[in-house]
Amino acid sequence: MSSVDMRLEVVTVPVSDVDRAKDFYTGLGWRLDADIAAGDNFRVIQLTPPHSACSVAFGKGVTTGEPGSVHRLVLAVDDIEAARAALVDRRVEVSEVFHLAGGRVPGRDPQNRSYQTYAAFSDPDGNEWLLQEITSRLPGREWED
């Protein structure tokens, strides 16, 4: 039996102030894909991180989620220090680099393994994003045609 292609296209993030969130995410350098309003009770904003296949949406009347309730949204990066520096240059508060070992431990993964080094930041509502350094994919993590 063959499988049907399914691609994660959009992740919805609950926010309290649509314009503030739009300013924040466009300030990250993310591409604005849509800003659609329908009356006074519905507005959706969709943005896409550079070179991402998945976008982020938020707005008014888009989700019943509590603003700031989304945690551990992962942005894969090739170079954690460069990605962190780029966010700092954009005046985003970003954690220092850390790895996980029973909790967040300061510094890179001691063995410098792919998938093991992170930095974190949050949007104005507290939705948390993780930068995760991926320098080589684990076996089986690439789809074959």
Side-chain angles (χ1 to χ4, degrees), residues 1 10 16 22 31-32 40 44 56 59 61-63 69 76 79 81 88 91-92 102 108 115 141 143 145:
M1 173 184 280
V10 179
S16 61
K22 180 181 177 183
R31 180 186 71 218
L32 177 63
D40 294 333
V44 63
V56 174
V62 174
T63 180
S69 63
D79 180 333
E81 282 86 7
V88 169
R91 295 185 167 81
V92 176
R108 298 184 63 80
Y115 297 93
R141 292 294 310 235
W143 291 107
D145 294 326

Side-chain angles (χ1 to χ4, degrees), residues 114-115 134 136-144:
S114 193
Y115 297 93
I134 301 175
S136 62
R137 293 273 176 192
L138 292 171
R141 292 294 310 235
E142 300 283 343
W143 291 107
E144 296 180 18

Side-chain angles (χ1 to χ4, degrees), residues 77-81 108 114-115 117 131-135:
V77 298
D78 297 328
D79 180 333
I80 195 89
E81 282 86 7
R108 298 184 63 80
S114 193
Y115 297 93
T117 301
L131 302 175
Q132 181 183 39
E133 186 177 74
I134 301 175
T135 55

Side-chain angles (χ1 to χ4, degrees), residues 23-99:
D23 290 344
F24 176 79
Y25 287 105
T26 57
L28 297 178
W30 294 13
R31 180 186 71 218
L32 177 63
D33 300 322
D35 185 342
I36 301 167
D40 294 333
N41 295 318
F42 181 82
R43 181 176 175 202
V44 63
I45 308 279
Q46 183 171 315
L47 297 108
T48 303
H51 303 282
S52 178
C54 185
S55 300
V56 174
F58 53 85
K60 182 177 182 182
V62 174
T63 180
T64 58
E66 191 66 31
S69 63
V70 176
H71 299 279
R72 201 171 165 80
L73 293 163
V74 177
L75 296 167
V77 298
D78 297 328
D79 180 333
I80 195 89
E81 282 86 7
R84 185 182 176 286
L87 289 174
V88 169
D89 286 348
R90 292 178 180 272
R91 295 185 167 81
V92 176
E93 288 186 34
V94 186
S95 75
E96 295 297 327
V97 171
F98 63 90
H99 64 282

